[in-house]
Amino acid sequence: MKVDNDLINKQLLGFQKELSKRNSNGYACTYSPDKYLHINNETIDLLGSNLHGLSIKNEKRTIVFSFGTLLENRYLPFARIENHLFCFDTQNFNNANQWDILEYKSKYLVTLTIGSFLLNKVWAWLDKGRAIWENESFKVVELVDSIFNHNLTES
C-alpha cells in the first residue's frame, strides 16, 4: 500500500487556508525551522518540509510542529501540545493507508490520518481547548453524573 501524497498535498493546502483565516483573527503563527532531518520517506518529507518549525498560538494555547527522531524504533514525533507529544506509529499502516497518530506517553489513538489531525484536531485544541490526547467521552459522563448528583442533593 502507498500513501496518496496528492491527497496529503490537498490537506496541507486546506490547513494553510485555515491557518490564514486564523492568523488574521489574532493567532500568532511563526515559522522558524531548524534543520529538518530527511528520513527518506516521501510522505514524511512532504509533511516535514511544510510543517517542521511551525508554531501556532493564541492567547491561551500553543501547538508546535517539530519532526524528531524515531522513538522505540517505531514512533515518529511531529507535534507537541503542552507536555503531550504526537507521533506517527510507523509500524501500523491503517485502513486509511496512513500511519496512526498517537499521543506518545499514553499511546492513545488520536486519529487515523494527518488530514484529520491538521483540519480537525489542531483547531479543536486551539479554538476550543479540547484535550485531543484523551477520550473526552469520560468527561461528558462525569459532567452528566455531577449534574444529576447535584440535582438530587437539591431535592
Side-chain angles (χ1 to χ4, degrees):
M1 289 194 201
K2 186 171 174 5
V3 174
D4 184 351
N5 286 334
D6 290 335
L7 175 63
I8 289 179
N9 263 323
K10 288 177 188 171
Q11 293 166 339
L12 283 166
L13 286 172
F15 177 68
Q16 290 166 351
K17 286 180 184 176
E18 289 298 318
L19 196 55
S20 294
K21 284 186 216 171
R22 285 170 174 86
N23 204 14
S24 63
N25 289 330
Y27 280 71
C29 303
T30 56
Y31 186 69
S32 54
D34 51 8
K35 187 176 180 184
Y36 170 64
L37 176 65
H38 293 273
I39 65 165
N40 199 24
N41 178 293
E42 185 181 356
T43 302
I44 296 303
D45 286 343
L46 171 64
L47 292 168
S49 63
N50 280 279
L51 296 173
H52 184 70
L54 176 65
S55 174
I56 309 166
K57 64 175 75 174
N58 62 20
E59 63 279 352
K60 297 178 184 176
R61 293 176 274 284
T62 302
I63 184 168
V64 176
F65 290 92
S66 180
F67 285 72
T69 57
L70 206 58
L71 304 171
E72 300 175 35
N73 291 322
R74 179 176 185 162
Y75 303 105
L76 180 65
F78 71 92
R80 180 175 296 281
I81 294 174
E82 296 177 343
N83 63 343
H84 300 281
L85 184 63
F86 296 90
C87 301
F88 293 106
D89 180 354
T90 64
Q91 291 184 6
N92 190 22
F93 202 67
N94 61 43
N95 290 337
N97 293 335
Q98 294 187 29
W99 291 324
D100 289 347
I101 296 174
L102 307 173
E103 193 280 331
Y104 177 67
K105 196 181 328 177
S106 68
K107 304 300 187 273
Y108 174 73
L109 176 63
V110 176
T111 188
L112 298 177
T113 68
I114 190 65
S116 170
F117 189 84
L118 294 174
L119 297 170
N120 297 313
K121 303 299 182 179
V122 166
W123 306 118
W125 162 246
L126 289 169
D127 294 343
K128 299 174 184 145
R130 283 190 41 226
I132 64 171
W133 51 86
E134 63 187 15
N135 187 341
E136 291 190 306
S137 64
F138 292 117
K139 291 181 180 179
V140 172
V141 170
E142 289 172 6
L143 177 64
V144 169
D145 283 348
S146 100
I147 292 169
F148 181 72
N149 289 332
H150 178 73
N151 287 342
L152 284 178
T153 57
E154 287 185 349
S155 306

